[in-house]
Amino acid sequence: MTIFGVFEIRLNYFLKAFHQQKNSQQKIISLTFDDGPTEFTPRILDILEKNHAKATFFCIGKQIEKYPEILRNTSNLGHIIGNHTFHHSSKNGFYSSQKIVEEISSTNEIIFDTINLKPKLFRPPFGITNPHIADAISQTKHDVIGWSLRSLDTIIDDEQKLFDRISSKIKPGCIVLMHDTSDKTANVLEQLFVFLQKENYKVVLLDELLKIDVYEN
């Protein structure tokens, strides 16, 4: 059970995370994108703007170093910026509490230096949680954001299968996890908005969905 708790953030085994708006009476969802900013982010932003929708982008510090202007544009368009560590290392689950604090703090610093905002939202790489990560979060005071619908867009290559997976699992109040790292995801996002409009779903930001603050005052 402990091992399963490490890899399944939705269990809230080591720490509390937000995964959805429970018992939602409205057909509202939130879209989230991990691992940017990248050269694909502007296309994602264009699709969101075309559909009058806002999303949350969980950004990696080293990617912000590469694409600061894309981060500024993302923020200026009204999207929420969240923290996704500085290096997004595959070793993140093995880091000490202090190392994780450094990963989170350095990312908050570069975000603040770029857009003058300090995120309160954090999504751990790969959704992995453990006692060290829980201890780090208790120090940084971030709210942890999980998901209720994982698109698997970094694994599924077939766009139709990817769209079918997402559209079949959409439910009121859900948080959708995608990545702004490929044209494949952008193509599926365009299809997804057609589906959402047909089914009368509204895309809202996480602060509206979860009733939480997203930046430090």
Side-chain angles (χ1 to χ4, degrees):
M1 183 64 180
T2 301
I3 293 174
F4 192 54
V6 169
F7 294 101
E8 182 47 86
I9 192 172
R10 289 175 293 181
L11 289 178
N12 287 358
Y13 191 80
F14 297 105
L15 49 74
K16 175 188 175 183
F18 294 94
H19 311 292
Q20 61 186 335
Q21 183 197 77
K22 294 182 179 179
N23 304 316
S24 177
Q25 301 302 310
Q26 298 175 284
K27 297 183 80 171
I28 57 174
I29 66 166
S30 278
L31 300 177
T32 66
F33 296 89
D34 286 7
D35 296 1
T38 71
E39 65 269 30
F40 301 100
T41 307
R43 186 177 170 207
I44 297 289
L45 295 175
D46 287 345
I47 295 168
L48 291 167
E49 282 297 290
K50 183 176 70 174
N51 289 280
H52 310 289
K54 306 296 181 186
T56 301
F57 290 79
F58 287 95
C59 297
I60 300 171
K62 66 179 182 180
Q63 290 298 119
I64 297 170
E65 285 185 328
K66 293 181 182 178
Y67 302 103
E69 285 302 323
I70 293 178
L71 184 77
R72 290 190 190 98
N73 190 39
T74 304
S75 178
N76 288 339
L77 288 171
H79 304 287
I80 294 172
I81 306 301
N83 187 315
H84 202 38
T85 72
F86 200 89
H87 293 98
H88 197 280
S89 171
S90 60
K91 299 178 181 178
N92 193 77
F94 300 97
Y95 284 164
S96 67
S97 298
Q98 190 53 44
K99 176 64 174 174
I100 296 165
V101 168
E102 291 171 5
E103 282 282 315
I104 296 171
S105 297
S106 60
T107 305
N108 257 35
E109 288 172 8
I110 193 170
I111 291 172
F112 181 77
D113 289 344
T114 307
I115 61 173
N116 203 36
L117 293 169
K118 290 186 178 181
K120 289 189 66 177
L121 305 186
F122 172 71
R123 177 174 279 164
F126 315 107
I128 290 175
T129 60
N130 60 35
H132 288 165
I133 294 172
D135 182 56
I137 292 300
S138 72
Q139 296 181 54
T140 66
K141 309 299 184 185
H142 281 73
D143 285 323
V144 178
I145 306 298
W147 56 80
S148 55
L149 200 172
R150 190 173 194 169
S151 67
L152 299 182
D153 58 348
T154 58
I155 298 172
I156 299 173
D157 289 326
D158 187 286
E159 291 180 8
Q160 188 60 50
K161 289 182 179 179
L162 181 56
F163 169 75
D164 289 344
R165 173 182 171 81
I166 299 171
S167 60
S168 67
K169 294 178 180 292
I170 290 281
K171 295 179 180 179
C174 77
I175 296 174
V176 184
L177 165 62
M178 293 182 284
H179 297 78
D180 51 327
T181 56
S182 71
D183 275 325
K184 170 184 63 181
T185 296
N187 292 339
V188 171
L189 184 63
E190 290 185 317
Q191 296 181 61
L192 182 60
F193 272 112
V194 174
F195 168 82
L196 292 173
Q197 290 162 8
K198 179 181 178 182
E199 297 297 322
N200 296 313
Y201 274 95
K202 180 183 178 183
V203 176
V204 301
L205 285 168
L206 283 178
D207 55 353
E208 180 178 344
L209 187 79
L210 301 173
K211 310 304 181 187
I212 57 175
D213 294 327
V214 297
Y215 297 114
E216 293 181 24
N217 294 325

